Amino acid sequence: MKFTSFSFALCLFIMATLCVRCSTENDRSLAEDKGTPSAQKLSVNARTNLNDLIAYKNTDHQISAGYYRTWRDSATASGNTPSMRWLPDSLDVVMVFPDYTPDTNPYWNTLKTNYVPYLHKRGTKVIITLGDLSSATTTGGQDAAGYAAWAQGIYNKWVGEYNLDGIDIDIESNPTGATLTKFVAAAQALSKHFGPKSGTGKTFVYDTNQNPTTFFTLTASYYNFVFLQAYGRSTSNLTSVSALYAPYISMKQFLPGFSFYEENGYPGNYWNDVKYPQDGTGRAYDYARWQPATGKKGGVFSYAIERDAPLSSFKDNRLLAPNFRVTKDLIKIMNP
C-alpha cells in the first residue's frame, strides 16, 4: 500500500507538472500580467517561451500579418467580444484598421496602455493604417516644409504617443496630375520617419489592389513591404502581378492578402478566400503555399483577422470567440 500510494502521488506530481508546462503562452502571460500567484510559478517558463518566440520572429521567415478592425474590438463597445490580446502569439504584424472609431473611443487608450505593451512582449509589431494620403494637409501650402511638418505630426502621434511600429498607406487608385504630385510629396515626407530610408527602424507598408502605378514607381524605395489585396484572385494572377513588381522590390517584400468574410454572409465570403465549415480550403491556403517565379515571397496577410473563427463561434452572425485557426494554419504552412 505504501508503494502504491507513493506511485500514485508521483503520477499526480508528474501530471501536474506537465499540465503547467502545456499551458498556452497566452495563459501564462495573462497570469504574469495580472500578477496572480500562478504567475510566480510560471514566470520562468513564460520568459523562456517568449524569448524563443521573439528569436523566431527575428529569423528570415515568411511573415503573417492581419488587419484588425478596431470597431469590432471589445474595448470599443459592449457586445463586442474579440480582443487584440487574443491574437496568435506567432502573428508577426497586426495592422490597426481604424474606421468607425473616433478619437474619444476608449479603444485608443486600451491600445496604448494595454494592447501595444502586450503585443510587443511577444515581438508582434503594431502598425496603423493611414488611408490613401488624400488627408495629407499642410499649413504652409503645398510645399516640402508643409509636408515635412505633417509627417512629423504623424510620427509624433503614432510612434511618440502610442509607441507603434509603423504605418500603412492604402492606395487603390492610379493618381495623376495634382493628386500624383501631392501623394508623392506626402510619401517622401513620411519616408523620413518610416521605411528603409528613415533609419528609425519603423515600418512603411504600401497596400494596394493595383499593378505598379506611376505613383508606386516613383516611391518604391520608400517601402518595407508591398501588400497586394489579392482577394479572390488565382495564384496564376499572383505570379503575373508579382512579376510586374519584381523590377522595383525584392519578392521578400511582396505579400498577397486575402479577406475573411466580415459580416456579409456565411460560410465563406464574396471571394471564397476562406471556406467554412471545411478547414484547410480556400484561396488563403493557396496563397500560403504559392511562391513567386523570382524568389520566395514575404508572407501573407489577411483583412478582418478578428473574424478568424469556426462556425460554432457565431450566433446570429455575431462573433462569440475567434480561435484564429486559419491564421495558425497558414503560419505553419509557410514556416513548417
Side-chain angles (χ1 to χ4, degrees), residues 28-29 32 39 42-53:
R28 283 193 300 270
S29 301
E32 185 178 351
L42 300 174
S43 60
V44 174
N45 283 339
R47 284 196 299 269
T48 300
N49 288 335
L50 288 177
N51 288 340
D52 291 343
L53 178 67

Side-chain angles (χ1 to χ4, degrees), residues 105-170:
N105 192 285
Y107 169 83
W108 297 111
N109 185 61
T110 304
L111 176 69
K112 178 169 61 176
T113 62
N114 188 321
Y115 293 159
V116 170
Y118 179 86
L119 292 164
H120 279 175
K121 188 180 293 186
R122 285 143 186 80
T124 303
K125 291 185 176 182
V126 186
I127 292 176
I128 185 71
T129 300
L130 298 181
D132 68 357
L133 298 181
S134 295
S135 61
T137 57
T138 64
T139 55
Q142 305 298 306
D143 55 26
Y147 283 114
W150 167 79
Q152 183 69 57
I154 289 175
Y155 183 86
N156 291 346
K157 177 178 181 179
W158 296 115
V159 177
E161 181 180 351
Y162 284 85
N163 196 26
L164 299 195
D165 302 287
I167 58 171
D168 163 281
I169 58 172
D170 182 11

